[in-house]
Amino acid sequence: MPVCMRPVALSLVCLLFAGWARAGDLYLEKIKPLLRERCLACHGALAQKGKLRLDTAALAHQGGRAGPAVVAGQVDDSPLLERVSRSEDAAGRMPPEGKPLTAEQIGWLKEWIAAGARGPADEKAEADPKSHWSFQKPVRPETPPVRDPAWNANPIDRLIAARHQKLGIQPLPVTDRATLLRRVYLDLIGLPPTADELRAFLADTRPDAYERVVDRLLADPRHAEHWARHWMDVWRYSDWYGRRAVPDVLNSYGQIWRWRDWIVTSLGRDRPYDEMVRLMLAADELAPLAHEDQPATGFVARNFFRWNYNNWMRDNVEHTAKAFLGLTLNCCHCHDHKYDPVTQDEYFRFRAIFEPVEIRHDRWPGEEDPGVYPKYSYGAAYKPITTGMVRVMDERLTAPTRKYSRGDERNVEKDAPAIPPGVPAALGGTFQVSEVKLPPESWYPGLRAHVRQEETAKLTKARDEAKATLDKARAAKDAPAEALAQARLTAAQATLQALKLKILADDARYRQTGDPATAAGLAAWAEKQAATEQARATLVEKEQSLATATKAAKPEGVTAATKALDEAKAKLGAATKALENPGDTYSPLGARYETTTSTGRRSALARWITDPSNPLTARVAANHLWGWHFGQPLVTTPHDLGRSGKPPANQELLDWLAVELMHPTNASDAKASPWSLKRLHRLIVTSRTYQTRSGPTPADHPARVKDTDNLTLWRYPLGRMQAEVVRDSLLHVAGQLDGTRGGPDIPQDQALVSKRRSLYLTHHGESRAVFLDLFDAANPCEAYQRSASVLPQQALALANSELTHSLARALAATLHPKQPADNTFITAAFEQVLARQPTPEEQLAAQEYLTALRESVPATAPSKDKPDSALRAREGLIVALFNHTDFLTIR
């Protein structure tokens, strides 16, 4: 080559190399993500339609049944470009679903193909989706000892310290005892320690003082209330909503609060997590005689949507999968899943599990029978639900599940066979459906002891009251009153006797305790006899009313009384005639349902989900638990552990936690019961990792440089109190928190005046307490992970709300007479509000603040509404402490 040509040749080589480099960069930055997002569901590892794969550049060149998808440099004749450039409604347009590619995206493809359609030489095709880490059964990893003995006592610490050693990170030391106490109090019961509790802990020199605190907090009923709120986020707890002023239930259901109370009770008892999951899905099938556990099915009832049954089914599928499996099954509602090995058919199989479900409204002990509530009534006939218990049952036993296309239930495949129930095959396990024969008490609640006892007590009381009235009339020698009282007593006695015979007949019919025909005949006669005596008592009453009206000589009164008497005579005549041939039919003791069996579909699902061989269930639970303790879960997409979710920050740790939850290491320990959440809590909060100091650290700290995001937990992550903890802690430190547990939801507009825990405030999709919303309360429609914001309105609420000021007044009034000197008052206020003593600088600043406030308050005679200037200044200081960063922050 001539010398004069060398620069030109070199330039050409450089240009070619630049083009190739540009093609490679463009491919990794734009093309590969685009293909993954829009094409790989049909042309990747999940599926290879037309035998074409596009998960590597080489496979795109190789092509499929129709030949290469791309040819280097051939933009005008590119099969790929031709298909993606077709109009939205054109046949064969790719991708076939969703919006067409944008002009910009098509431009990327053109540029890439023109530059050679290159990809990395070492690019690998997608692995088999079934081999994804979360679809493999978790295995307990080894936890070999680490160099620092302080990190060897707890397996959690060994797994964390191994990461530290690998990266050469030195974690921060253990935090001070006051900070640790406040941290674990807020974490385990959602309330800070009081000043007395702080002083007691600091004075306790026993080596296991901290562990004793942990055990006490885990046994505290407030622990269950606080952690119920965490799980209620995931399980989408919502009070009923939908034009409450009408009222008109659209979403969730009245009395759903019993499910909330069931969660609290179950966590307090440390009920195994797997058992809780099973009962929430199928208590009616798995424990039909456990009346106290039926509210658990509120998990399914909460998804109820009165205007669209299909919407209820969709929510059941989506949120059962997200809550317990960390799977986005909703993504294959319209088509096969784009990332996970789940088909659209499997989506509808999962839906078929819930297809027979209906809402049911049962009587609750101590309350009147609510009757069979009209689930789908409309308009003025609808009334609020204020008694009973909402639950679910299988009512539509033969209801078919039909597949429909494009996510629209109007596009039903009517001629296709009904889809049977099932679960995603890729997750393995056994899904075996067996019909459940329900005990009579399940479908006829009138057999339950509490119903019989309450009805008997009610009628016995009525009889006794009638007898007392008769005795009083006899003592007064009032003949008319005595005649009426006697008639009413006879009716009350007959009604009570009818109930007793009805109970005997029910036992004979449903429990085979006697001859059903004979018993039914007696019950039918007694019921009609009672009706006759009731009609006779009414006749006596109307006769006396006519006599009274006649004596008063008021024609209109006589006319009305005569008409009422004639009606009473007619009713007595009808009752007497019915008594002549009573038959063997009597009214049931409350609602009686016709479905005496259940499909067993939901119990099969519950067993499949909680089987230890299921690779997802324990991981999902452990991931949530870890996230609530440390502010961020190990998988930051807790609702999605699939291929489109984020990878775990420490899979070994997550797998160890999951296996430990299912199979505790020390099986001989009485506390080491499988699926115990409290045991996992204890392991976490007694770890060296949990007790690490949170900071501060300079920007150039070696650990901060190597692990800026603190993924290895070399320091405890700072966090802000959750919304409910902010409000509850204000009430608690002021000594105003009402510890009453359970009961109906409290209207959210009472959030600033009610002293109950925030857990009990009305919380639903249309409205939440404004104060809680300011601090990022859970979205009841979906809150698998809460967001956290920093807004000026939050500071304004703490500084200016009536709640804050009323609580500051209450606390100041408590401390003021006990601490006459400012310096001791300041210390007491810091200890009570911030659970620590003030620094010298804070002591001085607080003293100056009090002095300034006193001088700014006009000197007036103290009164109930206007306390003296010293007390008002102290109230101001407490308001300031409520606004302190250390109050809102968990360090």
Side-chain angles (χ1 to χ4, degrees):
M1 179 182 295
V3 174
C4 63
M5 292 294 293
R6 287 177 182 172
V8 176
L10 183 59
S11 298
L12 179 60
V13 169
C14 291
L15 285 172
L16 288 172
F17 181 78
W20 292 335
R22 169 60 185 157
D25 291 343
L26 180 65
Y27 177 74
L28 293 176
E29 294 172 6
K30 303 288 187 182
I31 305 302
K32 191 172 180 69
L34 176 63
L35 294 175
R36 174 179 168 81
E37 173 65 25
R38 302 303 307 276
C39 304
L40 296 196
C42 297
H43 302 290
L46 276 171
Q48 302 85 43
K49 294 186 177 179
K51 295 189 175 181
L52 172 64
R53 293 186 66 157
L54 297 174
D55 41 329
T56 70
L59 288 171
H61 282 277
Q62 178 180 313
R65 189 180 295 121
V70 296
V71 178
Q74 294 187 14
V75 175
D76 295 336
D77 298 325
S78 169
L80 177 63
L81 281 175
E82 191 277 324
R83 296 295 290 273
V84 300
S85 300
R86 293 181 186 180
S87 61
E88 184 170 357
D89 56 352
R93 188 263 296 181
M94 293 295 166
E97 296 180 349
K99 293 290 185 182
L101 299 191
T102 65
E104 182 183 27
Q105 290 169 334
I106 293 173
W108 296 340
L109 289 169
K110 287 180 178 179
E111 182 180 352
W112 175 60
I113 293 170
R118 296 174 61 84
D122 59 350
E123 185 181 18
K124 290 182 171 55
E126 280 191 317
D128 182 354
K130 295 178 183 178
S131 67
H132 182 64
W133 70 269
S134 69
F135 301 152
Q136 313 308 307
K137 183 179 177 180
V139 176
R140 189 191 301 273
E142 295 294 327
T143 56
V146 292
R147 288 192 294 267
D148 188 342
W151 290 77
N152 273 324
N154 189 317
I156 291 173
D157 292 329
R158 293 199 291 272
L159 290 165
I160 293 288
R163 292 291 183 97
H164 294 161
Q165 289 182 184
K166 183 177 180 180
L167 296 175
I169 289 175
Q170 181 63 41
L172 295 187
V174 171
T175 194
D176 65 274
R177 298 187 80 211
T179 299
L180 179 59
L181 185 73
R182 187 173 190 271
R183 178 188 299 174
V184 77
Y185 260 76
L186 290 169
D187 193 7
L188 291 185
I189 65 171
L191 301 168
T194 63
D196 289 341
E197 290 167 333
L198 171 65
R199 287 190 287 269
F201 177 65
L202 295 179
D204 191 343
T205 58
R206 291 173 294 183
D208 62 343
Y210 175 68
E211 286 74 12
R212 288 171 179 265
V213 168
V214 169
D215 289 338
R216 177 168 54 79
L217 295 179
L218 289 173
D220 192 317
R222 297 173 296 179
H223 166 76
E225 290 180 309
H226 176 54
W227 278 83
R229 182 60 261 178
H230 284 315
W231 288 112
M232 285 159 60
D233 285 7
V234 177
W235 299 333
R236 295 201 328 138
Y237 176 84
S238 172
D239 296 301
W240 72 270
Y241 63 101
R243 299 201 298 266
R244 274 195 166 215
V246 176
D248 189 7
V249 174
L250 300 179
N251 296 270
S252 189
Y253 212 74
Q255 301 297 95
I256 197 76
W257 58 265
R258 294 197 192 279
W259 173 40
R260 174 246 290 155
D261 285 359
W262 178 88
I263 295 171
V264 173
T265 300
S266 296
L267 291 175
R269 289 170 45 194
D270 198 20
R271 185 171 230 157
Y273 175 80
D274 63 331
E275 183 181 333
M276 290 183 68
V277 172
R278 286 194 294 272
L279 291 173
M280 284 192 286
L281 290 170
D284 57 311
E285 293 183 340
L286 295 170
L289 294 178
H291 186 60
E292 69 281 3
D293 283 329
Q294 299 311 305
T297 60
F299 174 80
V300 180
R302 176 266 172 269
N303 297 323
F304 178 74
F305 180 62
R306 188 156 65 95
W307 304 121
N308 189 326
Y309 188 84
N310 283 292
N311 198 77
W312 187 16
M313 295 298 102
R314 283 192 287 269
D315 278 355
N316 282 333
V317 172
E318 176 179 354
H319 298 294
T320 299
K322 286 181 175 178
F324 303 133
L325 299 170
L327 269 186
T328 54
L329 286 191
N330 56 302
C331 291
C332 47
H333 176 218
C334 307
H335 46 67
D336 291 350
H337 205 292
K338 290 187 176 183
Y339 303 105
D340 297 332
V342 186
T343 66
Q344 188 183 19
D345 280 349
E346 287 176 319
Y347 171 91
F348 282 96
R349 285 178 180 271
F350 206 89
R351 169 183 165 143
I353 295 169
F354 297 96
E355 202 74 57
V357 168
E358 260 299 356
I359 288 286
R360 179 169 143 182
H361 196 193
D362 275 12
R363 180 172 179 169
W364 191 257
E367 296 182 355
E368 290 293 321
D369 186 355
V372 178
Y373 211 81
K375 297 180 286 293
Y376 300 103
S377 66
Y378 305 98
Y382 203 84
K383 58 183 180 180
I385 300 170
T386 57
T387 62
M389 167 193 65
V390 62
R391 49 163 287 189
V392 299
M393 62 179 288
D394 274 4
E395 182 178 79
R396 307 168 346 119
L397 303 184
T398 59
T401 297
R402 306 287 184 188
K403 184 179 177 181
Y404 50 80
S405 60
R406 297 184 180 274
D408 189 340
E409 58 261 30
R410 293 171 296 182
N411 300 330
V412 175
E413 298 178 1
K414 296 180 180 178
D415 297 330
I419 294 178
V423 294
L427 298 181
T430 301
F431 178 77
Q432 184 67 45
V433 177
S434 299
E435 184 181 77
V436 177
K437 184 178 180 181
L438 298 171
E441 291 86 348
S442 175
W443 46 269
Y444 179 30
L447 296 173
R448 293 175 185 157
H450 78 88
V451 174
R452 293 176 165 189
Q453 291 165 1
E454 290 167 8
E455 289 300 309
T456 301
K458 181 172 65 176
L459 296 185
T460 300
K461 180 181 179 182
R463 181 204 61 189
D464 293 345
E465 289 175 348
K467 188 176 185 304
T469 301
L470 176 59
D471 292 342
K472 184 177 180 181
R474 285 173 174 170
K477 300 185 183 307
D478 185 339
E482 181 180 347
L484 179 57
Q486 181 62 65
R488 286 176 173 170
L489 174 59
T490 302
Q493 290 171 330
T495 303
L496 178 59
Q497 180 62 18
L499 173 65
K500 292 178 179 178
L501 290 174
K502 183 183 297 186
I503 290 171
L504 291 174
D506 279 347
D507 283 343
R509 180 177 181 181
Y510 300 112
R511 293 172 173 161
Q512 294 77 49
T513 59
D515 178 21
T518 302
L522 287 172
W525 175 85
E527 187 171 75
K528 291 175 176 61
Q529 172 67 22
T532 302
E533 296 302 337
Q534 289 164 3
R536 184 171 284 115
T538 302
L539 179 63
V540 172
E541 178 187 354
K542 300 308 178 185
E543 287 174 341
Q544 293 185 4
S545 296
L546 178 58
T548 302
T550 302
K551 186 176 181 180
K554 292 184 177 180
E556 64 278 8
V558 172
T559 300
T562 301
K563 181 180 179 182
L565 178 60
D566 290 342
E567 291 174 353
K569 288 178 179 179
K571 287 182 179 178
L572 177 58
T576 304
K577 185 175 181 61
L579 189 58
E580 295 173 0
N581 185 22
D584 59 1
T585 301
Y586 58 93
S587 58
L589 195 55
R592 185 167 59 198
Y593 298 90
E594 296 185 8
T595 49
T596 61
T597 62
S598 194
T599 64
R601 297 179 183 183
R602 284 177 289 112
S603 53
L605 173 65
R607 285 189 291 266
W608 175 78
I609 286 177
T610 58
D611 191 297
S613 67
N614 190 304
L616 291 168
T617 308
R619 280 186 173 121
V620 169
N623 189 50
H624 279 301
L625 207 70
W626 185 268
W628 291 321
H629 280 297
F630 287 97
Q632 180 165 288
L634 293 164
V635 178
T636 56
T637 51
H639 66 290
D640 185 5
L641 270 62
R643 296 171 69 233
S644 59
K646 299 295 183 182
N650 189 331
Q651 186 184 335
E652 284 190 327
L653 176 58
L654 179 58
D655 285 355
W656 188 91
L657 292 168
V659 175
E660 184 67 16
L661 177 61
M662 295 185 288
H663 310 293
T665 305
N666 188 1
S668 62
D669 183 355
K671 296 180 180 180
S673 59
W675 296 95
S676 166
L677 294 175
K678 285 190 178 182
R679 182 173 185 278
L680 212 55
H681 284 306
R682 194 180 194 281
L683 279 168
I684 290 172
V685 301
T686 57
S687 68
R688 167 64 173 80
T689 305
Y690 183 84
Q691 298 176 56
T692 302
R693 200 179 74 202
S694 60
T697 56
D700 60 350
H701 188 280
R704 187 181 290 276
V705 172
K706 293 179 180 179
D707 182 13
T708 305
D709 295 326
N710 192 34
L711 297 178
T712 63
L713 292 173
W714 53 271
R715 59 178 173 83
Y716 183 83
L718 290 174
R720 194 197 67 200
M721 291 176 174
Q722 285 195 334
E724 297 83 0
V725 179
V726 174
R727 179 181 171 277
D728 295 350
S729 295
L730 288 168
L731 289 163
H732 178 63
V733 299
Q736 299 294 301
L737 185 63
D738 180 351
T740 303
R741 301 181 68 199
D745 51 297
I746 300 165
Q748 53 87 14
D749 59 5
Q750 295 184 28
L752 298 183
V753 294
S754 172
K755 302 299 192 292
R756 297 283 303 282
R757 284 198 81 153
S758 303
L759 174 74
Y760 301 114
L761 294 173
T762 298
H763 190 80
H764 56 74
E766 286 183 342
S767 181
R768 274 93 66 192
V770 175
F771 187 89
L772 298 182
D773 247 7
L774 280 174
F775 290 93
D776 309 304
N779 175 359
C781 296
E782 186 162 336
Y784 294 103
Q785 191 172 13
R786 291 199 192 187
S787 58
S789 63
V790 178
L791 301 171
Q793 291 91 330
Q794 295 165 350
L796 291 172
L798 284 175
N800 300 322
S801 75
E802 176 55 31
L803 175 68
T804 302
H805 283 270
S806 65
L807 295 176
R809 283 193 293 272
L811 180 55
T814 300
L815 298 179
H816 186 63
K818 299 177 183 178
Q819 309 292 345
D822 278 350
N823 63 328
T824 58
F825 176 86
I826 292 168
T827 299
F830 266 77
E831 288 180 338
Q832 184 66 15
V833 178
L834 304 183
R836 66 172 177 82
Q837 293 192 346
T839 65
E841 294 79 10
E842 289 171 328
Q843 182 83 36
L844 178 60
Q847 181 64 68
E848 293 174 348
Y849 185 67
L850 285 175
T851 302
L853 282 177
R854 274 196 294 268
E855 292 174 351
S856 67
V857 175
T860 57
S863 65
K864 181 179 179 182
D865 297 326
K866 291 184 178 180
D868 62 54
S869 59
L871 180 54
R872 293 172 69 183
R874 290 180 169 190
E875 290 173 9
L877 175 62
I878 290 174
V879 171
L881 292 180
F882 285 160
N883 283 265
H884 198 296
T885 301
D886 282 359
F887 178 73
L888 287 175
T889 304
I890 302 175
R891 296 189 177 277

